[in-house]
PDB file of all heavy atoms in Angstrom:
ATOM      1  N   THR A 185     -20.930 -14.495   1.334  1.00  0.00           N
ATOM      2  CA  THR A 185     -19.758 -15.320   1.661  1.00  0.00           C
ATOM      3  C   THR A 185     -18.558 -14.844   0.845  1.00  0.00           C
ATOM      4  O   THR A 185     -18.689 -14.582  -0.355  1.00  0.00           O
ATOM      5  CB  THR A 185     -20.061 -16.800   1.360  1.00  0.00           C
ATOM      6  OG1 THR A 185     -21.153 -17.198   2.186  1.00  0.00           O
ATOM      7  CG2 THR A 185     -18.854 -17.687   1.652  1.00  0.00           C
ATOM      8  N   ARG A 192      -4.507  -4.759  -5.962  1.00  0.00           N
ATOM      9  CA  ARG A 192      -4.096  -4.028  -7.167  1.00  0.00           C
ATOM     10  C   ARG A 192      -3.549  -2.705  -6.660  1.00  0.00           C
ATOM     11  O   ARG A 192      -4.293  -1.916  -6.047  1.00  0.00           O
ATOM     12  CB  ARG A 192      -5.306  -3.829  -8.092  1.00  0.00           C
ATOM     13  CG  ARG A 192      -4.995  -3.059  -9.352  1.00  0.00           C
ATOM     14  CD  ARG A 192      -4.238  -3.917 -10.370  1.00  0.00           C
ATOM     15  NE  ARG A 192      -4.053  -3.173 -11.609  1.00  0.00           N
ATOM     16  CZ  ARG A 192      -2.955  -2.440 -11.895  1.00  0.00           C
ATOM     17  NH1 ARG A 192      -1.946  -2.379 -11.045  1.00  0.00           N
ATOM     18  NH2 ARG A 192      -2.871  -1.789 -13.029  1.00  0.00           N
ATOM     19  N   GLY A 204     -18.567  -6.857  -5.119  1.00  0.00           N
ATOM     20  CA  GLY A 204     -17.137  -6.584  -5.162  1.00  0.00           C
ATOM     21  C   GLY A 204     -16.853  -5.469  -4.163  1.00  0.00           C
ATOM     22  O   GLY A 204     -17.584  -4.474  -4.108  1.00  0.00           O
ATOM     23  N   HIS A 227     -12.072   4.638  16.925  1.00  0.00           N
ATOM     24  CA  HIS A 227     -11.912   4.891  15.490  1.00  0.00           C
ATOM     25  C   HIS A 227     -12.242   3.681  14.618  1.00  0.00           C
ATOM     26  O   HIS A 227     -11.728   3.548  13.518  1.00  0.00           O
ATOM     27  CB  HIS A 227     -10.509   5.406  15.136  1.00  0.00           C
ATOM     28  CG  HIS A 227     -10.063   6.545  15.985  1.00  0.00           C
ATOM     29  ND1 HIS A 227     -10.688   7.774  15.959  1.00  0.00           N
ATOM     30  CD2 HIS A 227      -9.065   6.640  16.911  1.00  0.00           C
ATOM     31  CE1 HIS A 227     -10.091   8.582  16.824  1.00  0.00           C
ATOM     32  NE2 HIS A 227      -9.106   7.922  17.420  1.00  0.00           N
ATOM     33  N   VAL A 253     -19.477  -2.500  -5.005  1.00  0.00           N
ATOM     34  CA  VAL A 253     -20.096  -2.496  -6.335  1.00  0.00           C
ATOM     35  C   VAL A 253     -20.678  -3.887  -6.591  1.00  0.00           C
ATOM     36  O   VAL A 253     -20.267  -4.855  -5.943  1.00  0.00           O
ATOM     37  CB  VAL A 253     -19.062  -2.163  -7.456  1.00  0.00           C
ATOM     38  CG1 VAL A 253     -18.510  -0.752  -7.296  1.00  0.00           C
ATOM     39  CG2 VAL A 253     -17.923  -3.179  -7.485  1.00  0.00           C
ATOM     40  N   GLN A 259     -14.398  -5.415 -12.053  1.00  0.00           N
ATOM     41  CA  GLN A 259     -13.267  -5.238 -12.972  1.00  0.00           C
ATOM     42  C   GLN A 259     -13.251  -3.823 -13.552  1.00  0.00           C
ATOM     43  O   GLN A 259     -12.212  -3.164 -13.615  1.00  0.00           O
ATOM     44  CB  GLN A 259     -13.348  -6.276 -14.089  1.00  0.00           C
ATOM     45  CG  GLN A 259     -12.011  -6.449 -14.787  1.00  0.00           C
ATOM     46  CD  GLN A 259     -12.081  -7.450 -15.932  1.00  0.00           C
ATOM     47  OE1 GLN A 259     -12.936  -8.339 -15.946  1.00  0.00           O
ATOM     48  NE2 GLN A 259     -11.182  -7.306 -16.884  1.00  0.00           N
ATOM     49  N   GLY A 326      13.630  11.558 -17.246  1.00  0.00           N
ATOM     50  CA  GLY A 326      14.022  11.313 -18.629  1.00  0.00           C
ATOM     51  C   GLY A 326      15.528  11.273 -18.867  1.00  0.00           C
ATOM     52  O   GLY A 326      15.985  10.842 -19.920  1.00  0.00           O
ATOM     53  N   LYS A 332      21.110   2.558 -14.900  1.00  0.00           N
ATOM     54  CA  LYS A 332      20.423   2.928 -13.650  1.00  0.00           C
ATOM     55  C   LYS A 332      18.947   2.516 -13.696  1.00  0.00           C
ATOM     56  O   LYS A 332      18.361   2.172 -12.670  1.00  0.00           O
ATOM     57  CB  LYS A 332      20.532   4.438 -13.406  1.00  0.00           C
ATOM     58  CG  LYS A 332      21.951   4.920 -13.168  1.00  0.00           C
ATOM     59  CD  LYS A 332      22.338   4.784 -11.708  1.00  0.00           C
ATOM     60  CE  LYS A 332      23.738   5.314 -11.466  1.00  0.00           C
ATOM     61  NZ  LYS A 332      24.132   5.307 -10.061  1.00  0.00           N
TER      62      LYS A 332
END
Side-chain angles (χ1 to χ4, degrees):
T185 299
R192 179 75 175 93
H227 310 295
V253 296
Q259 199 182 335
K332 295 274 182 176

